[in-house]
Amino acid sequence: MKQNRIGFLGGLDFVTLITSLLCSFYGLALVYSATYSKITGTSIISGGVKSMLISVFAGIVAALIISNIDYEIISKLWPLIAAGCIALMIITLFFGTAANEARQDARSWLDLGIFTFQTSELLKVGFIISFSYHLDMVKDKINRIKTIVPLVIHGMIPIALVLATGDAGSALVFMIIFIGMLFFAKVNIGYFVAGICAIIVAFAAAWKLNIIDGLQRERITALFYPEQYQDTLYQQINGKIAMGSGGWFGQGFLKGSMTQSGAVPVNDNDMILSVAGEEFGYIGTLAVIIMLLILVLRVLFTGLKARDNVGYLMCGGIAVMLFAQIFINIGMELSLLPCIGITLPLFSAGGSSSLCIYLALGIELSVYRFSKSQNKSLFYTT
């Protein structure tokens, strides 16, 4: 018997790595175009592009390092990971800042001097790790009511923390991750029916009691009465016009009239798909969706091939997180959902989002590597 050490990149899931890199490079091009007309002085790129470049580079390095750590070890560190994420959220609750002057109600960012960081992005990764471990511990009695109640409490903690900072969009993503992971854990369908009914009742009560008010209420109402809320839908209306004006092949890179004039607000972030549509056309938009679909399916495939239940649940949670953000962002850009400030994974500007998605993908890479080798010490025999 001979033992050979697998190298740093040995056994790596190159499909996930290459697909995520292609998404990031395309995203950087779109963000560069969206902010091109705002570059001033001697600057070559905008601050948003610079932040994204640094985050993507740091994220790739972090993902490769994580891929060399057995995900089983990572899962067992869940108490430290959960405590750290919750501590950051509590700090954000008291000392958080808003992303801009218009949304002072959503103080979900920590100003670290050199850069700002959205702590809820890291909480998503921490929640997937801790909830996977929790689900695995109770897998043999998953459908007992005394098991479901603690699971619900576990899921409600991050949702409550995120809502407390005013970030309703991220809270919705957490809700979808929570429900999706319960589905992967094979929880009885009856609990989902009861849960959906409870959510509908809670939403109706919050609407009736004006707990959902202000801009959030307007954005929801505007979907049903668009002619009465043209100002509220301004961003989405212009985004759809820009997207449609590109035709099949687009107006050309840096040549989109609405993109370069700034007619679509926040088109480097929430409305990034409008840039792809206007400048690269239907083909460019379809390319975005296909690449993200490949990434989600690859993560799911890795989970299905995982060596154990924890790996399966972790990958399931990551896939649901990506899918939730893709679905909400595209639905928002097409006016099928209210505008709630959710980024398109790896495409939108936002260092916190890109960095934390790569951290999550690092876990998927670890599941792929260690499930494939079936050897925790990174050795295999020949």
Side-chain angles (χ1 to χ4, degrees):
M1 288 284 187
K2 180 183 177 183
Q3 287 186 324
N4 298 303
R5 184 172 178 82
I6 297 177
F8 186 73
L9 298 179
L12 194 63
D13 180 6
F14 285 101
V15 174
T16 292
L17 184 62
I18 292 172
T19 304
S20 60
L21 285 174
L22 288 174
C23 288
S24 289
F25 291 150
Y26 192 2
L28 281 163
L30 296 178
V31 173
Y32 176 77
S33 180
T35 58
Y36 179 73
S37 61
K38 301 170 188 174
I39 298 174
T40 57
T42 57
S43 299
I44 301 175
I45 58 176
S46 67
V49 175
K50 189 183 299 181
S51 173
M52 196 171 173
L53 270 171
I54 294 171
S55 299
V56 169
F57 177 76
I60 292 168
V61 172
L64 291 175
I65 292 172
I66 292 170
S67 75
N68 280 274
I69 303 171
D70 194 332
Y71 66 91
E72 187 177 335
I73 296 173
I74 296 172
S75 71
K76 289 180 178 178
L77 292 174
W78 74 265
L80 292 176
I81 295 170
C85 290
I86 290 173
L88 281 175
M89 287 302 299
I90 293 173
I91 292 171
T92 304
L93 188 58
F94 289 100
F95 303 103
T97 60
N100 53 62
E101 292 296 325
R103 288 300 313 275
Q104 288 298 314
D105 58 323
R107 307 178 70 82
S108 53
W109 299 78
L110 275 183
D111 189 347
L112 302 176
I114 302 175
F115 60 92
T116 57
F117 185 77
Q118 191 173 10
T119 50
S120 61
E121 296 294 337
L122 187 60
L123 183 63
K124 291 174 189 173
V125 183
F127 173 69
I128 289 170
I129 294 170
S130 65
F131 201 51
S132 295
Y133 194 85
H134 189 169
L135 287 168
D136 182 62
M137 284 194 304
V138 298
K139 62 183 178 182
D140 295 328
K141 46 186 176 180
I142 191 71
N143 286 306
R144 297 179 185 175
I145 190 67
K146 64 180 182 181
T147 300
I148 293 295
V149 171
L151 287 172
V152 171
I153 294 172
H154 189 156
M156 292 303 106
I157 290 172
I159 293 173
L161 287 170
V162 172
L163 280 175
T165 65
D167 190 356
S170 291
L172 178 60
V173 173
F174 272 102
M175 178 66 75
I176 296 172
I177 295 171
F178 170 65
I179 293 171
M181 291 184 72
L182 288 177
F183 175 80
F184 282 115
K186 300 178 176 62
V187 169
N188 191 293
I189 191 68
Y191 289 113
F192 290 104
V193 174
I196 291 170
C197 291
I199 291 171
I200 293 172
V201 171
F203 179 83
W207 188 271
K208 185 70 175 178
L209 297 172
N210 290 323
I211 295 173
I212 301 173
D213 60 0
L215 185 58
Q216 291 178 350
R217 193 181 186 93
E218 279 187 18
R219 285 174 170 175
I220 295 171
T221 307
L223 296 179
F224 300 95
Y225 304 98
E227 66 285 348
Q228 298 177 24
Y229 291 90
Q230 293 293 299
D231 290 343
T232 304
L233 293 173
Y234 175 82
Q235 181 185 25
Q236 290 164 290
I237 290 171
N238 279 17
K240 287 189 294 183
I241 293 172
M243 203 181 304
S245 67
W248 279 94
F249 301 103
Q251 298 176 18
F253 185 54
L254 303 180
K255 295 180 181 179
S257 56
M258 296 185 74
T259 294
Q260 300 307 320
S261 67
V264 183
V266 203
N267 64 347
D268 62 329
N269 196 290
D270 298 353
M271 308 300 290
I272 195 68
L273 204 62
S274 70
V275 181
E278 184 176 38
E279 298 196 341
F280 297 103
Y282 173 77
I283 299 301
T285 304
L286 188 61
V288 172
I289 296 170
I290 289 174
M291 284 193 287
L292 287 171
L293 182 61
I294 290 171
L295 188 60
V296 171
L297 291 176
R298 183 61 178 184
V299 174
L300 275 175
F301 178 80
T302 299
L304 292 172
K305 296 291 184 179
R307 72 184 181 196
D308 57 24
N309 195 47
V310 170
Y312 160 73
L313 290 168
M314 280 183 168
C315 287
I318 294 166
V320 173
M321 177 187 74
L322 293 171
F323 176 79
Q325 294 190 203
I326 295 165
F327 180 82
I328 293 171
N329 179 273
I330 294 177
M332 179 181 71
E333 295 203 46
L334 297 177
S335 296
L336 300 174
L337 295 173
C339 192
I340 53 176
I342 294 295
T343 58
L344 190 63
L346 300 178
F347 282 91
S348 296
S352 305
S353 176
S354 292
L355 176 60
C356 292
I357 285 172
Y358 273 109
L359 292 180
L361 292 177
I363 295 172
E364 184 273 342
L365 295 175
S366 174
V367 174
Y368 180 89
R369 180 196 294 265
F370 286 91
S371 295
K372 188 176 181 180
S373 69
Q374 290 291 311
N375 195 315
K376 302 177 186 178
S377 63
L378 283 180
F379 283 86
Y380 65 93
T381 60
T382 58

